């Protein structure tokens, strides 16, 4: 089931006029990415939406790479972590659901969250994109984990989240009005003798619940991490 919000085209007029700031520029850039995707974002197009000369934007972003990092930082501002929570498992569950919510609200930004960090050394990334990592490390070290174990848990959690989100964003129904699950998903196009298992799971695939699937995955992941790290401590 496609649970993503309807990202209808947004009017850029609210960004015209007024004082230009980095925050205002990034908000407009995020709207453009939400509407048209990352590939369509350009400094020239952004300047047009803001009613500015393209050169004026370089005061707030050195280049497009810097602009993309800023967009990622903008959406990750909503990923808050309570590093003082005494229940680290419950807090990581909360973080996971917040991260999923961000991804579903801004599906075109997901490549920036999943692959963009590969292009930028850790110390050179925007500070806001590092805040969730710092806060989760603080949460886990307060819970008694070593720094190395805390980092292992963080990597395992976000490795799982990235895989889950990419899977969920692929769960698109081909014919929403069709009542037959095989036809709704377009699985009738697959030869039965070649893909019997996939076709046989049509009803399960059609009833996909992203939130429930995330919970099941977190149950397995966090239980395993708790057992492994408790044994090692």
């Amino acid at each position: 089931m496609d649970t993503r919000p309807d990202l209808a085209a947004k009017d850029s007029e609210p960004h015209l006029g007024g004082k230009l700031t980095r925050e205002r520029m990034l908000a407009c850039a995020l709207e453009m990415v939400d509407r048209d995707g990352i590939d369509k974002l350009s400094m020239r197009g952004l300047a047009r939406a803001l009613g500015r000369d393209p050169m004026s934007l370089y005061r707030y972003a050195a280049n497009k790479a810097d602009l993309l990092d800023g967009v990622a930082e903008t959406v990750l501002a909503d990923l808050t972590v309570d590093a003082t929570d005494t229940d680290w498992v419950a807090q990581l569950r909360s973080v996971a659901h917040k991260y999923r919510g961000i991804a579903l609200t801004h599906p075109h930004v997901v490549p920036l969250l999943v692959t963009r960090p590969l292009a930028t050394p850790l110390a050179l990334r925007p500070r806001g994109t590092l805040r969730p990592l710092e806060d989760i490390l603080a949460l886990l070290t307060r819970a008694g984990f070593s720094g190395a174990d805390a980092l292992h848990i963080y990597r395992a959690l976000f490795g799982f989240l990235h895989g889950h989100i990419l899977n969920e964003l692929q769960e698109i129904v081909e014919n929403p009005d069709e009542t037959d699950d095989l036809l709704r998903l377009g699985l009738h196009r697959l030869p039965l003798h070649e893909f019997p298992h996939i076709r046989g799971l049509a009803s399960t695939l059609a009833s996909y619940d992203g939130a429930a699937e995330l919970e099941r995955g977190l149950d397995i992941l966090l239980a395993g991490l708790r057992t492994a790290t408790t044994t090692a401590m």
Side-chain angles (χ1 to χ4, degrees):
M1 181 181 299
D2 186 2
T3 57
R4 286 172 287 174
D6 179 18
L7 296 175
K10 299 180 180 180
D11 192 343
S12 61
E13 277 193 9
H15 295 286
L16 296 175
K19 182 180 179 181
L20 182 61
T21 63
R22 178 173 169 83
E23 291 73 21
R24 187 158 163 255
M25 179 188 71
L26 292 176
C28 184
L30 176 57
E31 287 184 8
M32 294 176 69
V33 171
D34 281 342
R35 184 180 65 239
D36 303 320
I38 296 172
D39 292 341
K40 296 293 180 64
L41 179 65
S42 67
M43 299 296 275
R44 186 173 298 278
L46 180 59
R48 189 181 310 114
L50 289 164
R52 302 282 174 163
D53 182 275
M55 295 307 297
S56 67
L57 302 190
Y58 289 96
R59 293 179 55 194
Y60 306 99
N63 46 44
K64 186 175 178 180
D66 187 23
L67 180 64
L68 293 177
D69 284 341
V71 170
E73 184 176 30
T74 298
V75 298
L76 285 176
D78 292 331
L79 187 63
T80 55
V81 181
D82 181 2
T84 65
D85 193 339
T86 56
D87 188 341
W88 66 271
V89 171
Q91 184 58 212
L92 292 187
R93 283 185 184 277
S94 174
V95 169
H97 283 281
K98 288 177 186 175
Y99 195 70
R100 172 180 177 264
I102 289 170
L104 296 184
T105 301
H106 306 287
H108 288 307
V109 179
V110 168
L112 296 182
L113 304 180
V114 176
T115 64
R116 177 70 193 156
L118 298 175
T120 309
L122 192 65
L124 297 181
R125 296 175 199 169
R127 301 292 174 85
T129 64
L130 296 176
R131 181 52 52 193
L133 169 58
E134 178 65 26
D135 289 344
I136 288 175
L137 292 178
L139 168 76
L140 295 172
T141 52
R142 281 194 178 100
F145 295 102
S146 67
D149 281 343
L151 183 59
H152 171 71
I153 293 172
Y154 171 87
R155 286 172 171 165
L157 175 65
F158 277 84
F160 162 72
L161 285 175
H162 289 157
H164 170 85
I165 287 165
L166 292 175
N167 278 331
E168 184 167 359
L169 292 177
Q170 292 180 56
E171 296 291 336
I172 299 174
V173 174
E174 182 177 316
N175 300 301
D177 297 329
E178 178 59 61
T179 56
D180 183 279
D181 291 332
L182 203 66
L183 298 177
R184 286 185 74 224
L185 298 176
L187 295 180
H188 61 288
R189 303 177 190 278
L190 300 179
L192 179 59
H193 67 282
E194 290 186 45
F195 301 97
H197 294 95
I198 294 177
R199 287 186 52 144
L201 287 170
S203 295
T204 302
L205 290 167
S207 61
Y208 180 86
D209 183 331
E213 194 76 16
L214 178 64
E215 275 298 314
R216 284 193 289 270
L218 287 171
D219 286 342
I220 297 169
L221 175 69
L222 294 174
L225 287 171
R226 180 154 43 187
T227 299
T229 50
T230 300
T231 302
M233 289 173 66

